Amino acid sequence: MLISLDSHANDEDYQSNEYWQTLADRIKEDPNLVIEKALTLQQKFKQDHQSYNELQAMAVLSSALVATSQFDHAEMVINEGLARVDKEGSSMLKMRFLREQILLTHERGQWQQVIILSSHALALAEQENMPQMIAHFLHNRSRGLRASSQNQQALADMLAAYQIAKAHDMRLILAEIVNSIALVHQNLGQFDEAIHYFKEALTFIDADKDKFGTSILLYNIGTLYIHKQDLTQAKEYLQQSLALSLTLNDEIGVAYVHSQLATIAYNTGDYQRALNHIEQSLPVFEQAKIYQSITLGKLNLAKVTLAQGDHQRALNMLLALENDIANLNNDTHSKGYLLALARSYQKSRLFQQASEQYEAAIAHIEQTASKNNKESLQKIQTQMNIQHEQQKTELLKKENELQKQRIAQQDLRQKLVYLVATTVVVLILVILVILFQQIRSRRKFLRLALSDELTGAPNRRNIREKGAVMFSQAKTNATELAVAVIDLDNFKTINDNFGHEAGDNVLKAFYQACKHSIRSSDNIGRIGGEEWLLIMPAASEQNITDAFKRIRQTLSQQQIAGVPSTHPVTFSMGAAAIKPDDKKLDDVIRRADSAVYKAKAQGRDQLTLAAI
């Protein structure tokens, strides 16, 4: 049966759950179109006093609002829906509103609340015997558990959700669940398991409709094959990812693939090809200010330079990277850097320095091996626990079978009908830790992450996507839009004088000050290092000035751990307004970026507005 989503839909269509599910499925293709349609239907049914259909429209609307990060509006719709839905007596509608409430809480990074809400919703779904909702809530709870570092419980929930979703052929949620399972295995260094689940996730998504998701999965698989030293397979998957990224005009996605192809070329001795890949990726990372990828790109460039015989230039490049490598705080990258530096000293005939670097590398490797040996013992203990749990599960299955037989016999003898509800959840606890930690994925699933790991703020990709949506809306509706680039003043001095922990505290304090100072319609995100991007819809020059003053006042009143009260923490802010001839968000950002440089040149701790 085909369901019409246009203005010609009739009352019979609206009474069908299939109509509302079809409308909800359109969110992944065009969420803004779904928002417009759901708002229209909500008003129509409100005027016609059709409360049930109005709630159906509100449920779809809340889902689309969460998908487009319009969290405040989504929260109002969800709260109103939950307050009214019990009167309609629809368990399914209540489950849908609860699901969106949990997703909203997850987007805000409130992990403990996600676990609590998911557990409550899961109990209701089990009581109503709704397998689809049970799978959803198990998966939601697992995401909260994983974010809270409760990996064993998270994996158990994921696997339980996987079994239910697969049994009921729930393909959409299966893709999400399998991807989550793969992420856990990848983080634990279990590359074969991660590859298996990433490949399975590919079977659940529509490659034609979701090219972006497909390109990410292909990239992840290719990167994991590099970890396994299977460079032929790695290159095959990365080239497929590259083709999709080029089709999508995804510059950063293309850059990430080139960075991995450079690693393959370097490992196979094709240094010129490796250099070509680095030259195609490093400028993109530098323009986007993705500092970790910049550092790793420069490290690879130094290694290629050393391999090509320019020893002195390679040595200078490596020495210039010392602080950046230390800031990565990654054992594998540190080891690679120390070994490259030692080889560079050796090739430059500076044997004393080479000897010292080799000793430092050996000490680093021994320290890492000691840590991994302890983790290996934990791995063995975990495997023993898993076997024990599997035996207990088998015994429990047999007990349940015997109980079912006894109930069936009693039913025949006494002519009574008993309803037997038996749920067996097999908990497979898998935490395997490898002997030597290998190079972690450079990508770190940047595109799947919505939040900056340190501060909890929206990350660069997230804030730019929000900004692009607001830019498009402003252009369509001919409304005002302001963009501000903010840069913390003398941030390197704070790190040098008081330590990187104090610097991290400054970044956290600054984000908290912004959250309490900007309007609810404004959005701010960290785009790299000490630099931030603020998007302000419908903002006048006075709104911008007021926001600057409020943030500065709030920040000045905070006591930041590790930073003396005598050392003020300030920032410079450059703002620009949208112009009629602007074609994309970057046009406004460039003007704001120029304005912030002007603010710094004029003495910092001030706001500079770009010329209209």
PDB file of all heavy atoms in Angstrom, residues 138-157:
ATOM      1  N   LEU A 138      16.956  -0.506  24.665  1.00  0.00           N
ATOM      2  CA  LEU A 138      18.199  -1.201  25.019  1.00  0.00           C
ATOM      3  C   LEU A 138      19.402  -0.514  24.367  1.00  0.00           C
ATOM      4  O   LEU A 138      20.438  -0.298  25.004  1.00  0.00           O
ATOM      5  CB  LEU A 138      18.130  -2.662  24.572  1.00  0.00           C
ATOM      6  CG  LEU A 138      17.369  -3.627  25.481  1.00  0.00           C
ATOM      7  CD1 LEU A 138      17.141  -4.953  24.772  1.00  0.00           C
ATOM      8  CD2 LEU A 138      18.113  -3.845  26.791  1.00  0.00           C
ATOM      9  N   HIS A 139      19.246  -0.166  23.087  1.00  0.00           N
ATOM     10  CA  HIS A 139      20.335   0.500  22.383  1.00  0.00           C
ATOM     11  C   HIS A 139      20.621   1.882  22.981  1.00  0.00           C
ATOM     12  O   HIS A 139      21.779   2.268  23.175  1.00  0.00           O
ATOM     13  CB  HIS A 139      19.983   0.633  20.899  1.00  0.00           C
ATOM     14  CG  HIS A 139      21.072   1.263  20.084  1.00  0.00           C
ATOM     15  ND1 HIS A 139      20.856   2.309  19.224  1.00  0.00           N
ATOM     16  CD2 HIS A 139      22.398   1.000  20.016  1.00  0.00           C
ATOM     17  CE1 HIS A 139      22.001   2.671  18.668  1.00  0.00           C
ATOM     18  NE2 HIS A 139      22.948   1.896  19.118  1.00  0.00           N
ATOM     19  N   ASN A 140      19.550   2.628  23.294  1.00  0.00           N
ATOM     20  CA  ASN A 140      19.739   3.961  23.896  1.00  0.00           C
ATOM     21  C   ASN A 140      20.472   3.853  25.228  1.00  0.00           C
ATOM     22  O   ASN A 140      21.366   4.647  25.533  1.00  0.00           O
ATOM     23  CB  ASN A 140      18.384   4.643  24.089  1.00  0.00           C
ATOM     24  CG  ASN A 140      17.756   5.061  22.776  1.00  0.00           C
ATOM     25  OD1 ASN A 140      18.443   5.256  21.785  1.00  0.00           O
ATOM     26  ND2 ASN A 140      16.448   5.182  22.739  1.00  0.00           N
ATOM     27  N   ARG A 141      20.065   2.874  26.037  1.00  0.00           N
ATOM     28  CA  ARG A 141      20.721   2.720  27.342  1.00  0.00           C
ATOM     29  C   ARG A 141      22.184   2.320  27.161  1.00  0.00           C
ATOM     30  O   ARG A 141      23.060   2.783  27.911  1.00  0.00           O
ATOM     31  CB  ARG A 141      19.992   1.674  28.184  1.00  0.00           C
ATOM     32  CG  ARG A 141      20.539   1.592  29.619  1.00  0.00           C
ATOM     33  CD  ARG A 141      19.657   0.750  30.511  1.00  0.00           C
ATOM     34  NE  ARG A 141      19.672  -0.661  30.151  1.00  0.00           N
ATOM     35  CZ  ARG A 141      19.003  -1.609  30.799  1.00  0.00           C
ATOM     36  NH1 ARG A 141      18.245  -1.278  31.833  1.00  0.00           N
ATOM     37  NH2 ARG A 141      19.064  -2.864  30.410  1.00  0.00           N
ATOM     38  N   SER A 142      22.470   1.491  26.153  1.00  0.00           N
ATOM     39  CA  SER A 142      23.853   1.066  25.930  1.00  0.00           C
ATOM     40  C   SER A 142      24.741   2.251  25.567  1.00  0.00           C
ATOM     41  O   SER A 142      25.906   2.312  25.964  1.00  0.00           O
ATOM     42  CB  SER A 142      23.909   0.015  24.812  1.00  0.00           C
ATOM     43  OG  SER A 142      23.711   0.595  23.531  1.00  0.00           O
ATOM     44  N   ARG A 143      24.192   3.220  24.825  1.00  0.00           N
ATOM     45  CA  ARG A 143      24.979   4.403  24.459  1.00  0.00           C
ATOM     46  C   ARG A 143      25.314   5.235  25.693  1.00  0.00           C
ATOM     47  O   ARG A 143      26.418   5.765  25.822  1.00  0.00           O
ATOM     48  CB  ARG A 143      24.212   5.241  23.435  1.00  0.00           C
ATOM     49  CG  ARG A 143      23.996   4.513  22.119  1.00  0.00           C
ATOM     50  CD  ARG A 143      23.069   5.272  21.209  1.00  0.00           C
ATOM     51  NE  ARG A 143      23.707   6.465  20.684  1.00  0.00           N
ATOM     52  CZ  ARG A 143      23.048   7.427  20.039  1.00  0.00           C
ATOM     53  NH1 ARG A 143      21.735   7.336  19.883  1.00  0.00           N
ATOM     54  NH2 ARG A 143      23.690   8.474  19.571  1.00  0.00           N
ATOM     55  N   GLY A 144      24.360   5.350  26.623  1.00  0.00           N
ATOM     56  CA  GLY A 144      24.636   6.055  27.870  1.00  0.00           C
ATOM     57  C   GLY A 144      25.666   5.322  28.714  1.00  0.00           C
ATOM     58  O   GLY A 144      26.558   5.941  29.303  1.00  0.00           O
ATOM     59  N   LEU A 145      25.557   3.991  28.760  1.00  0.00           N
ATOM     60  CA  LEU A 145      26.527   3.191  29.521  1.00  0.00           C
ATOM     61  C   LEU A 145      27.924   3.291  28.915  1.00  0.00           C
ATOM     62  O   LEU A 145      28.914   3.412  29.642  1.00  0.00           O
ATOM     63  CB  LEU A 145      26.067   1.734  29.550  1.00  0.00           C
ATOM     64  CG  LEU A 145      24.822   1.429  30.395  1.00  0.00           C
ATOM     65  CD1 LEU A 145      24.282   0.043  30.071  1.00  0.00           C
ATOM     66  CD2 LEU A 145      25.136   1.539  31.884  1.00  0.00           C
ATOM     67  N   ARG A 146      28.002   3.252  27.566  1.00  0.00           N
ATOM     68  CA  ARG A 146      29.321   3.340  26.914  1.00  0.00           C
ATOM     69  C   ARG A 146      29.955   4.699  27.165  1.00  0.00           C
ATOM     70  O   ARG A 146      31.157   4.799  27.434  1.00  0.00           O
ATOM     71  CB  ARG A 146      29.176   3.098  25.409  1.00  0.00           C
ATOM     72  CG  ARG A 146      30.495   3.146  24.658  1.00  0.00           C
ATOM     73  CD  ARG A 146      30.379   2.500  23.290  1.00  0.00           C
ATOM     74  NE  ARG A 146      29.403   3.165  22.455  1.00  0.00           N
ATOM     75  CZ  ARG A 146      29.702   4.168  21.621  1.00  0.00           C
ATOM     76  NH1 ARG A 146      30.934   4.615  21.546  1.00  0.00           N
ATOM     77  NH2 ARG A 146      28.772   4.700  20.862  1.00  0.00           N
ATOM     78  N   ALA A 147      29.150   5.766  27.106  1.00  0.00           N
ATOM     79  CA  ALA A 147      29.681   7.106  27.365  1.00  0.00           C
ATOM     80  C   ALA A 147      30.127   7.261  28.814  1.00  0.00           C
ATOM     81  O   ALA A 147      30.981   8.089  29.122  1.00  0.00           O
ATOM     82  CB  ALA A 147      28.629   8.162  27.021  1.00  0.00           C
ATOM     83  N   SER A 148      29.544   6.458  29.718  1.00  0.00           N
ATOM     84  CA  SER A 148      29.923   6.499  31.128  1.00  0.00           C
ATOM     85  C   SER A 148      31.017   5.481  31.449  1.00  0.00           C
ATOM     86  O   SER A 148      31.260   5.185  32.614  1.00  0.00           O
ATOM     87  CB  SER A 148      28.688   6.221  32.006  1.00  0.00           C
ATOM     88  OG  SER A 148      27.662   7.153  31.752  1.00  0.00           O
ATOM     89  N   SER A 149      31.633   4.884  30.408  1.00  0.00           N
ATOM     90  CA  SER A 149      32.732   3.909  30.544  1.00  0.00           C
ATOM     91  C   SER A 149      32.292   2.613  31.211  1.00  0.00           C
ATOM     92  O   SER A 149      33.108   1.883  31.758  1.00  0.00           O
ATOM     93  CB  SER A 149      33.908   4.533  31.325  1.00  0.00           C
ATOM     94  OG  SER A 149      34.420   5.656  30.650  1.00  0.00           O
ATOM     95  N   GLN A 150      30.999   2.303  31.172  1.00  0.00           N
ATOM     96  CA  GLN A 150      30.498   1.028  31.690  1.00  0.00           C
ATOM     97  C   GLN A 150      30.382   0.066  30.491  1.00  0.00           C
ATOM     98  O   GLN A 150      29.290  -0.289  30.049  1.00  0.00           O
ATOM     99  CB  GLN A 150      29.154   1.236  32.385  1.00  0.00           C
ATOM    100  CG  GLN A 150      29.229   2.226  33.557  1.00  0.00           C
ATOM    101  CD  GLN A 150      27.883   2.431  34.226  1.00  0.00           C
ATOM    102  OE1 GLN A 150      27.216   1.471  34.637  1.00  0.00           O
ATOM    103  NE2 GLN A 150      27.466   3.677  34.350  1.00  0.00           N
ATOM    104  N   ASN A 151      31.549  -0.357  29.987  1.00  0.00           N
ATOM    105  CA  ASN A 151      31.600  -1.053  28.703  1.00  0.00           C
ATOM    106  C   ASN A 151      30.949  -2.434  28.735  1.00  0.00           C
ATOM    107  O   ASN A 151      30.330  -2.860  27.763  1.00  0.00           O
ATOM    108  CB  ASN A 151      33.061  -1.180  28.248  1.00  0.00           C
ATOM    109  CG  ASN A 151      33.657   0.165  27.895  1.00  0.00           C
ATOM    110  OD1 ASN A 151      33.057   0.937  27.179  1.00  0.00           O
ATOM    111  ND2 ASN A 151      34.837   0.450  28.430  1.00  0.00           N
ATOM    112  N   GLN A 152      31.096  -3.165  29.853  1.00  0.00           N
ATOM    113  CA  GLN A 152      30.514  -4.507  29.921  1.00  0.00           C
ATOM    114  C   GLN A 152      28.990  -4.445  29.805  1.00  0.00           C
ATOM    115  O   GLN A 152      28.383  -5.152  29.008  1.00  0.00           O
ATOM    116  CB  GLN A 152      30.923  -5.179  31.237  1.00  0.00           C
ATOM    117  CG  GLN A 152      32.414  -5.479  31.324  1.00  0.00           C
ATOM    118  CD  GLN A 152      32.765  -6.183  32.626  1.00  0.00           C
ATOM    119  OE1 GLN A 152      31.910  -6.356  33.496  1.00  0.00           O
ATOM    120  NE2 GLN A 152      34.013  -6.575  32.777  1.00  0.00           N
ATOM    121  N   GLN A 153      28.382  -3.584  30.627  1.00  0.00           N
ATOM    122  CA  GLN A 153      26.917  -3.458  30.579  1.00  0.00           C
ATOM    123  C   GLN A 153      26.457  -2.930  29.226  1.00  0.00           C
ATOM    124  O   GLN A 153      25.414  -3.349  28.696  1.00  0.00           O
ATOM    125  CB  GLN A 153      26.430  -2.527  31.694  1.00  0.00           C
ATOM    126  CG  GLN A 153      26.747  -3.020  33.100  1.00  0.00           C
ATOM    127  CD  GLN A 153      28.069  -2.482  33.624  1.00  0.00           C
ATOM    128  OE1 GLN A 153      29.042  -2.368  32.883  1.00  0.00           O
ATOM    129  NE2 GLN A 153      28.106  -2.174  34.906  1.00  0.00           N
ATOM    130  N   ALA A 154      27.247  -1.996  28.650  1.00  0.00           N
ATOM    131  CA  ALA A 154      26.872  -1.427  27.361  1.00  0.00           C
ATOM    132  C   ALA A 154      26.842  -2.497  26.275  1.00  0.00           C
ATOM    133  O   ALA A 154      25.896  -2.582  25.484  1.00  0.00           O
ATOM    134  CB  ALA A 154      27.849  -0.311  26.975  1.00  0.00           C
ATOM    135  N   LEU A 155      27.876  -3.333  26.250  1.00  0.00           N
ATOM    136  CA  LEU A 155      27.941  -4.369  25.229  1.00  0.00           C
ATOM    137  C   LEU A 155      26.821  -5.396  25.411  1.00  0.00           C
ATOM    138  O   LEU A 155      26.261  -5.893  24.436  1.00  0.00           O
ATOM    139  CB  LEU A 155      29.315  -5.047  25.276  1.00  0.00           C
ATOM    140  CG  LEU A 155      29.655  -5.965  24.098  1.00  0.00           C
ATOM    141  CD1 LEU A 155      29.542  -5.218  22.782  1.00  0.00           C
ATOM    142  CD2 LEU A 155      31.042  -6.555  24.259  1.00  0.00           C
ATOM    143  N   ALA A 156      26.487  -5.687  26.651  1.00  0.00           N
ATOM    144  CA  ALA A 156      25.387  -6.632  26.907  1.00  0.00           C
ATOM    145  C   ALA A 156      24.076  -6.096  26.352  1.00  0.00           C
ATOM    146  O   ALA A 156      23.307  -6.816  25.697  1.00  0.00           O
ATOM    147  CB  ALA A 156      25.273  -6.886  28.412  1.00  0.00           C
ATOM    148  N   ASP A 157      23.797  -4.799  26.597  1.00  0.00           N
ATOM    149  CA  ASP A 157      22.569  -4.188  26.071  1.00  0.00           C
ATOM    150  C   ASP A 157      22.580  -4.162  24.545  1.00  0.00           C
ATOM    151  O   ASP A 157      21.561  -4.418  23.893  1.00  0.00           O
ATOM    152  CB  ASP A 157      22.426  -2.757  26.604  1.00  0.00           C
ATOM    153  CG  ASP A 157      21.741  -2.716  27.966  1.00  0.00           C
ATOM    154  OD1 ASP A 157      21.362  -3.797  28.457  1.00  0.00           O
ATOM    155  OD2 ASP A 157      21.590  -1.621  28.527  1.00  0.00           O
TER     156      ASP A 157
END
